Amino acid sequence: MSFKREGDDWSQLNVLKKRRVGDLLASYIPEDEALMLRDGRFACAICPHRPVLDTLAMLTAHRAGKKHLSSLQLFYGKKQPGKERKQNPRHQNELRREETKAEAPLLTQTRLITQSALHRAPHYNSCCRRKYRPEAPGPSVSLSPVPPSEVELQSGKISREPEPGAGPQAEESATVSAPAPMSPTRRRALDHYLTLRSSGWIPDGRGRWVKDENVEFDSDEEEPPDLPLD
Amino acid sequence: MFLYNLTLQRATGISFAIHGNFSGTKQQEIVVSRGKILELLRPDPNTGKVHTLLTVEVFGVIRSLMAFRLTGGTKDYIVVGSDSGRIVILEYQPSKNMFEKIHQETFGKSGCRRIVPGQFLAVDPKGRAVMISAIEKQKLVYILNRDAAARLTISSPLEAHKANTLVYHVVGVDVGFENPMFACLEMDYEEADNDPTGEAAANTQQTLTFYELDLGLNHVVRKYSEPLEEHGNFLITVPGGSDGPSGVLICSENYITYKNFGDQPDIRCPIPRRRNDLDDPERGMIFVCSATHKTKSMFFFLAQTEQGDIFKITLETDEDMVTEIRLKYFDTVPVAAAMCVLKTGFLFVASEFGNHYLYQIAHLGDDDEEPEFSSAMPLEEGDTFFFQPRPLKNLVLVDELDSLSPILFCQIADLANEDTPQLYVACGRGPRSSLRVLRHGLEVSEMAVSELPGNPNAVWTVRRHIEGKQLFPNEFDAYIIVSFVNATLVLSIGETVEEVTDSGFLGTTPTLSCSLLGDDALVQVYPDGIRHIRADKRVNEWKTPGKKTIVKCAVNQRQVVIALTGGELVYFEMDPSGQLNEYTERKEMSADVVCMSLANVPPGEQRSRFLAVGLVDNTVRIISLDPSDCLQPLSMQALPAQPESLCIVEMGGTEKQDELGERGSIGFLYLNIGLQNGVLLRTVLDPVTGDLSDTRTRYLGSRPVKLFRVRMQGQEAVLAMSSRSWLSYSYQSRFHLTPLSYETLEFASGFASEQCPEGIVAISTNTLRILALEKLGAVFNQVAFPLQYTPRKFVIHPESNNLIIIETDHNAYTEATKAQRKQQMAEEMVEAAGEDERELAAEMAAAFLNENLPESIFGAPKAGNGQWASVIRVMNPIQGNTLDLVQLEQNEAAFSVAVCRFSNTGEDWYVLVGVAKDLILNPRSVAGGFVYTYKLVNNGEKLEFLHKTPVEEVPAAIAPFQGRVLIGVGKLLRVYDLGKKKLLRKCENKHIANYISGIQTIGHRVIVSDVQESFIWVRYKRNENQLIIFADDTYPRWVTTASLLDYDTVAGADKFGNICVVRLPPNTNDEVDEDPTGNKALWDRGLLNGASQKAEVIMNYHVGETVLSLQKTTLIPGGSESLVYTTLSGGIGILVPFTSHEDHDFFQHVEMHLRSEHPPLCGRDHLSFRSYYFPVKNVIDGDLCEQFNSMEPNKQKNVSEELDRTPPEVSKKLEDIRTRYAF
């Protein structure tokens, strides 16, 4: 049996080629602008109505659309009010890359080459990689001379990744504390929020908590537990 | 990732056992099959111990086994039916200690298939033909004969096929020297298959069919077939020709029937049943295995029922017509897979599950009060005889072979704080189950311990000459000589051990060494001289010159070498007249001598040619003792530390008898060097040049290593003593260095007496101990603690290290139900009795209630389908005492257990047990389940019942998760939190395919194993309180157990005997979301219900036995991590990663060459066996590679040349990779 393509239907081939290019280009979609669903489809995270699209190609097509572009403006306008409008992460990355290039282009290049020479096989990392969110102040990103992609990976590991074997408690606290400096009260509040959510309470949008009907509670449990005071 | 598979302990359950004279001598041996392993055992008729002579892994499934002997021959061959699509005939070669394949005939495809023969084998009792049959349709007959050179020949196959026929059993009928005949239990299903009404299916009868091989026409004919009234399960051949009436016994449900050709009427006898049995009385009784014993004058059969009761079956004949079948209750032993009656009067009982036993048949049960049942006794149809089971009367247990089979669960941890982890293994089945603690080491049996007046520093044993036996000195030791700081004590060995003073030894001085010299003299070396005691008690003394004293010495049967202070060597040799003569020269060494060793004198030679001397300057020198260059140095080896002790031994050879009838082993000479830093070196000593090469190093312990030569199974071995004692020996052509599971010893010597032919006498502080090492070759020694039902799982409470075990049995009664039923039966007994018999009946009922036969031997009563019994036990794994026991109700079956803490209750530990209620396995139905919650109190020793949570399905998996628990309820994955009245369901995922069999967690990830659909990766989203599937596997694996290797990688095993490692690719995104639009429609489920991200297969490997536990752990302190697996048939193995590309490359080549140069014994292709279900990937089979050591030397040389190495280098590599990870 062979998986070689037979026949000469060029149009089909071109469709495939285009899809492949589309797939390759799709990695340029920032991760927080789309949601990947458990069935492999994608939802646009920019548009408020969260359209679900079957393939990457469709998502790409959607992203070129007028509606999406207007939502994009809204989205970033809301997200980073103080900052420039068009500053999406890709843009930032490029800016940063330019900066480092300006430093010592030859050096950076050599470093890159040596690094890739040492990594003969693709880099395997058993840790879960968290998405890099631009609003999270990544520690010393621009100061380091190492290429930014590399820094993201490593700093992510150091600052936010607990040891995989460290047990659920450690993992939990580490995840909660992920967005670095946070006041203890705020942290406790957030922790409390997560505890309530995971034990089946749902905020009703008016500052009160209601019981999730799919979740069981103790019979005397009418009100959600209060925030611990200490 | 590349892995290397090593077996630490081979499977122990036996599926077949045959006996015969396989080595061609008078001795009877047993060949057993353990699934994929063929093993030759020899019961020693003198000691009653069973020794393993040879174990070979065949890399195929052995499906049938038969012993075969040509007419008039004296040697038995082994016929093997396997999954290779080939019939293989093996011959045991005692000189090489190996099985030789003499015939291999291909007839079909490989694999266990319906119509490819291999499942059944039958041989003609007169040794003319063999029939190999499939389960359906195909049967082939091979004619076996001998050629002019008396070699076995095999014909081309003759077909005896019959389509649409199922086969249940085949035997060869003993017809004397008429044409060979085979009897076959068959069922023709053609009609039943073609009748849609089902009427034919209901009426189809089993038939007994006779196939005759017409030797004249060279053709097989279906001679005769008759339908049977009962459905038979197996056949027993009745001796024929001049030995008996011929014909067959058909064992069927409740009846045993004799059938033969001609006018012989059928003789039918019911199978007796136990009186007052708790079993369901409607349940049929069958025989499960049988053994035939035949002498010139008589024959009988022993047949065992499924309850373990053995009946002796005899046939009454009247002029070759059988008139009567007689059955007599013989004894009860554990249910066997095969029984062998040996000519020496032993009964070998081999079981699939549980230990194997060797019994001596003390009585034949001929003249006792036991009632004899006969077919001639009139009985109503459906009625049967009753007997009373009792403890052993005719059999005497002489040896027990430990078997771990089945291993249901295993955890490896150092709970006893011994720095080496122990294996806690839940094994056994029903009332014969146990928790066994395995430790690496050789089991030591203590034969005697006696206290001495002071602390001795050394001990020796010497033999004594017996008149008339010139060639062999007496094989047993006569004296034990114990040396103290300023005295020597001589003990004589007889009925008792007592002190003697007339031995001729000098008692007022410490002794440096002593030995038997020549045939009848003794020599004692002490600091001031040498004392030579002749047989007639004449004493010759040699005194040291001047102020010099003897510091070290080495002695063997003919030579004495001493080292005087200052490093001067003096050499003595015994001349033919028995005189000890000093060599004309002495040798001055460059430094002080710290140790010396002489090899034993090889048989038929005058002297040992080499002396090894260890010096203070960290060297060992080999000095020649040959007359041509006496005391000339031959070679030298520098050492990393100062030597402490030396020992030259001959090992690795096979026992041989030369032309003169002199026995001796021809092996290699090894110089063992014990260093002061606790390291043992073993180097090969060239027997011609005296060169030292091929050094192997092993760290033994913290103390300097002292070495002693002992004998083990007729070969020399070295006992090495450091902070632990080790035995270095060669066993089945492999070197073993195994620690003794015993306290620290200080000095030792070999010991042989009538009771203990191969023992060790050793000193430990002020005691003298006589020890025996019987289980050579065993890797683990085990301590077993009995359990009540089959253990299913256990967890370790991390604070107290106690085990919480769940034991569950199907088809069993709980203690309460049992007592209730007993009471009920006793009442019925009284009620059924007449007015005048009341009193007697009451007495009998009371006796019945008090009677308590141990269930581990007599079996537990069978309660019927859908009846379950369970207990939860808290056990201390060190002492083995049960701390708490919770009996569940009848029909509640515990399936899962977890010990955990809840985040909302602080520091308390809870035990959760998942229980199924009224589960019926086939057709499957369940009335629901419960999760019992217990609080662990009293420092983890007691279970305090908290509450019970009802669930809809079987809770088959529980795992702690982020301060709560994940429970797999049937196919639902749920998060539960601890509530006040029950567990509270907090979150649920319904998308697992069939049935959750296991749950592993790491961080926010949950890896669920499905019973059919491999692994599913689930992520728990805390802020949405959702469990979302984000990845799964592409293969359908029927996962039995799993273990996480790292955050992305999981190792799993399936019920077909495969192990795999799967890993999520690095770009896997676990932040997937449920559809935000909320319309969870059909099209939302993805392709074929699968997740969009798929795991990659890292490795696949077929072990060949169902793996039930996997754990990533280190087995030896300072070793590297390995993946340890245990199998249902009692095997333990490891998969270890390669650390370098060179190693991988090397072993890949070794494996490749061995596949072609040393193909598996039963004809199955190695590569295809290891790829039975999935193509083998990234695993190298160490079991195959290690067969390099048992290859013939010229083949070894060829293979190692291909690898650009020498054979010792290859075997060193093989040994290295094993010792780096395990033992």
Side-chain angles (χ1 to χ4, degrees), chain B residues 647-835:
Chain B
C647 185
I648 304 178
V649 290
E650 195 179 294
M651 284 205 287
T654 46
E655 217 166 297
K656 277 205 182 113
Q657 218 161 2
D658 64 12
E659 308 86 72
L660 295 168
E662 206 156 328
R663 288 178 83 89
S665 56
I666 316 296
F668 294 97
L669 275 183
Y670 290 92
L671 171 64
N672 290 273
I673 309 166
L675 302 185
Q676 291 206 325
N677 59 6
V679 168
L680 173 70
L681 304 178
R682 192 184 75 216
T683 65
V684 176
L685 178 59
D686 189 299
V688 179
T689 61
D691 285 339
L692 297 172
S693 59
D694 186 23
T695 307
R696 316 270 171 104
T697 316
R698 191 89 182 263
Y699 176 72
L700 301 189
S702 51
R703 299 218 314 229
V705 179
K706 283 189 279 190
L707 303 171
F708 307 95
R709 187 185 299 146
V710 292
R711 283 192 86 75
M712 285 293 148
Q713 293 202 350
Q715 292 201 5
E716 288 188 334
V718 179
L719 194 64
M721 288 176 183
S722 178
S723 50
R724 251 181 127 175
S725 308
W726 298 66
L727 185 73
S728 162
Y729 61 105
S730 158
Y731 180 81
Q732 292 191 11
S733 55
R734 214 189 100 197
F735 278 104
H736 292 252
L737 184 59
T738 318
L740 305 186
S741 297
Y742 200 70
E743 51 197 281
T744 313
L745 300 173
E746 281 143 33
F747 204 96
S749 174
F751 176 82
S753 76
E754 216 161 335
Q755 293 82 30
C756 176
E758 278 177 347
I760 292 168
V761 55
I763 296 171
S764 172
T765 59
N766 68 337
T767 55
L768 194 67
R769 290 153 195 252
I770 295 173
L771 313 170
L773 308 171
E774 280 158 357
K775 293 184 177 157
L776 288 189
V779 183
F780 298 105
N781 84 79
Q782 42 179 281
V783 190
F785 307 123
L787 301 175
Q788 194 174 351
Y789 304 118
T790 311
R792 302 286 167 166
K793 242 169 228 166
F794 63 83
V795 285
I796 301 169
H797 176 225
E799 278 177 6
S800 64
N801 282 348
N802 288 337
L803 305 186
I804 298 124
I805 309 171
I806 50 168
E807 300 164 32
T808 305
D809 260 337
H810 181 227
N811 200 1
Y813 290 121
T814 60
E815 286 298 303
T817 326
K818 233 182 279 175
Q820 196 187 333
R821 269 191 66 92
K822 253 185 151 177
Q823 189 66 41
Q824 196 182 337
M825 279 178 74
E827 279 166 22
E828 278 168 13
M829 269 157 91
V830 178
E831 272 167 32
E835 201 56 40

Side-chain angles (χ1 to χ4, degrees), chain A residues 35-40 52 124-126 128-129 164 168 172 175 194 197-199 214-216 218 220, chain B residues 962 964 980 982 985-986 1002-1004 1020 1022-1025 1029 1046-1049 1066 1072-1073 1075 1084 1092:
Chain A
L35 299 170
M36 187 176 170
L37 306 184
R38 53 172 288 270
D39 55 3
V52 176
Y124 165 63
N125 175 11
S126 72
C128 161
R129 280 177 311 153
E172 201 177 334
T175 343
L194 281 176
R197 277 299 275 126
S198 60
S199 54
N214 294 322
V215 173
E216 294 174 342
D218 265 333
D220 56 351
Chain B
Q962 300 189 349
R964 305 194 288 182
K980 287 177 184 140
K982 61 171 196 167
R985 187 182 74 228
K986 291 296 178 191
I1002 185 162
H1004 284 293
Y1020 178 63
R1022 220 173 150 215
N1023 57 347
E1024 280 145 44
N1025 195 27
I1029 296 175
D1046 65 31
Y1047 195 69
D1048 285 328
T1049 317
V1072 295
D1073 293 271
D1075 193 334
D1084 184 36
S1092 60

Side-chain angles (χ1 to χ4, degrees), chain B residues 1165-1215:
Chain B
D1165 180 46
H1166 176 264
L1167 185 64
S1168 82
F1169 175 70
R1170 290 301 181 197
S1171 311
Y1172 224 123
Y1173 291 80
F1174 303 103
V1176 63
K1177 184 179 179 190
N1178 292 351
V1179 185
I1180 290 169
D1181 186 4
D1183 293 341
L1184 179 71
C1185 293
E1186 285 188 351
Q1187 288 196 347
F1188 176 83
N1189 293 323
S1190 49
M1191 277 204 313
E1192 284 165 33
N1194 59 333
K1195 277 192 176 176
Q1196 281 190 1
K1197 203 155 164 266
N1198 285 346
V1199 170
S1200 45
E1201 265 169 15
E1202 295 279 333
L1203 299 161
D1204 283 338
R1205 279 168 217 257
T1206 61
E1209 281 171 347
V1210 176
S1211 55
K1212 182 176 181 177
K1213 286 282 270 189
L1214 289 166
E1215 196 180 312

